[in-house]
Amino acid sequence: MTELENKLNHILEEHQHESGLHMIGGRRRLIDRLVKFFEEDLHGKDEIRSSPASRDN
């Protein structure tokens, strides 16, 4: 598990405990989807920053 996955897992575990929530579909699958979303978002921002058009502004 990556550091991001570990942090998300811990936060979600605390939230479930505090709220008494029972998640349908599993915490692991939700964490995988969130990590994928954040990694794609960060990767997209890196591409925008490195594009020649962004340096002209």
Side-chain angles (χ1 to χ4, degrees):
M1 235 190 250
T2 66
E3 184 178 351
L4 177 58
E5 288 172 312
N6 283 327
K7 288 180 180 182
L8 286 171
N9 188 50
H10 180 73
I11 290 168
L12 186 54
E13 196 173 273
E14 285 180 347
H15 180 74
Q16 279 183 290
H17 179 73
E18 291 169 1
S19 304
L21 297 176
H22 298 280
M23 299 201 62
I24 298 171
R27 183 171 65 229
R28 181 76 219 144
R29 190 169 61 179
L30 176 58
I31 290 169
D32 290 342
R33 292 176 69 189
L34 289 169
V35 167
K36 181 179 177 185
F37 170 79
F38 284 116
E39 287 175 345
E40 288 175 356
D41 187 53
L42 290 175
H43 181 68
K45 288 180 181 177
D46 288 342
E47 286 180 1
I48 291 170
R49 286 188 197 121
S50 64
S51 70
S54 67
R55 287 182 245 157
D56 293 340
N57 295 335

